[in-house]
Amino acid sequence: DAKTTQPPSMDCAEGRAANLPCNHSTISGNEYVYWYRQIHSQGPQYIIHGLKNNETNEMASLIITEDRKSSTLILPHATLRDTAVYYCISRYSGGGADGLTFGKGTHLIIQP
Amino acid sequence: DAMVIQNPRYQVTQFGKPVTLSCSQTLNHNVMYWYQQKSSQAPKLLFHYYDKDFNNEADTPDNFQSRRPNTSFCFLDIRSPGLGDAAMYLCATSRDFGGFNQPQHFGDGTRLSIL
């Protein structure tokens, strides 16, 4: 799996959009970009994933650059409950059951 | 709601005394994983079961074993816990089918302390 790089921490004001960047310059053509988050004392929670098109679900939007070397997770209206460590992970999803390789992630702190 | 359940949430054992952590799932997923997460670190994969097939990570110590008696349950056995094994242990599941692997669902973990 390709290595991903994220800033160690970010702050965002409650109610504003939180934009979390991720670099994955060595990602291969068959690797997806996944985002998980881990709220304190809980297990990681799946947020969203994509291959090359932008994706949106009820939790967030994922914007992937055309060259696929970076992406941004967008939480459109951050709340205090969004304070968590966010992990960007590249992973092949074409079958098989390899586990996730977590990096250090970004600790997002939502400020009231 | 369908989910991944880990019991207990907190487990205390003595140095060298065997301990078993349990995980159950109602998702009917065919893959189950165990991760170890030490304080202030990211989760690290120990091993996984694909149906009944056990797949160990190369750097997982022999002290860690696992059992999966049926689709719903999976156990993590630590034969002789050392102080360095104190951590949060996370169970996850996913469904792999038709050449596609779905996202993983995690339990809330068991925090293991070693006295």
Side-chain angles (χ1 to χ4, degrees), chain B residues 21-33:
Chain B
L21 308 182
S22 68
C23 176
S24 64
Q25 54 128 342
T26 59
L27 297 159
N28 203 33
H29 284 172
N30 56 345
V31 189
M32 295 187 77
Y33 306 82

Side-chain angles (χ1 to χ4, degrees), chain B residues 38-82:
Chain B
K38 295 187 176 181
S39 181
S40 300
Q41 296 183 19
K44 181 178 182 298
L45 180 68
L46 293 173
F47 29 59
H48 74 270
Y49 270 96
Y50 192 118
D51 293 323
K52 295 183 179 180
D53 294 332
F54 178 70
N55 297 271
N56 199 27
E57 292 299 296
D59 56 354
T60 298
D62 293 340
N63 198 25
F64 292 85
Q65 305 286 324
S66 186
R67 296 170 284 136
R68 189 179 186 187
N70 53 52
T71 299
S72 301
F73 286 87
C74 196
F75 300 99
L76 169 62
D77 301 309
I78 308 177
R79 292 190 298 184
S80 182

Side-chain angles (χ1 to χ4, degrees), chain B residues 1 4-5 8 11-12 22-23 33 53 60 69 73 84 102-104 113:
Chain B
D1 288 342
V4 180
I5 302 165
Q11 176 76 54
V12 180
S22 68
C23 176
Y33 306 82
D53 294 332
T60 298
F73 286 87
Q102 292 188 328
Q104 294 183 21
S113 299

Side-chain angles (χ1 to χ4, degrees), chain A residues 67-88:
Chain A
D67 62 8
R68 300 190 69 241
K69 293 184 177 183
S70 66
S71 60
T72 301
L73 178 74
I74 301 172
L75 308 178
H77 304 287
T79 71
L80 297 178
R81 289 176 296 178
D82 292 322
T83 292
V85 178
Y86 287 76
Y87 295 101
C88 169

Side-chain angles (χ1 to χ4, degrees), chain A residues 34 36 38 41-44 46 49 87 91 93-100 102-103, chain B residues 9 31 33 35 37 41-43 45 48 50 90 96 99-101 103-104 106-108:
Chain A
Y34 278 77
Y36 286 77
Q38 188 172 22
S41 295
Q42 296 182 19
Y46 164 76
H49 74 284
Y87 295 101
R91 184 170 181 267
S93 283
D98 291 343
L100 298 171
F102 289 84
Chain B
R9 291 296 311 277
V31 189
Y33 306 82
Y35 291 83
Q37 186 174 24
Q41 296 183 19
L45 180 68
H48 74 270
Y50 192 118
L90 295 159
D96 186 76
F100 183 74
N101 186 264
Q104 294 183 21
F106 284 81
D108 280 335

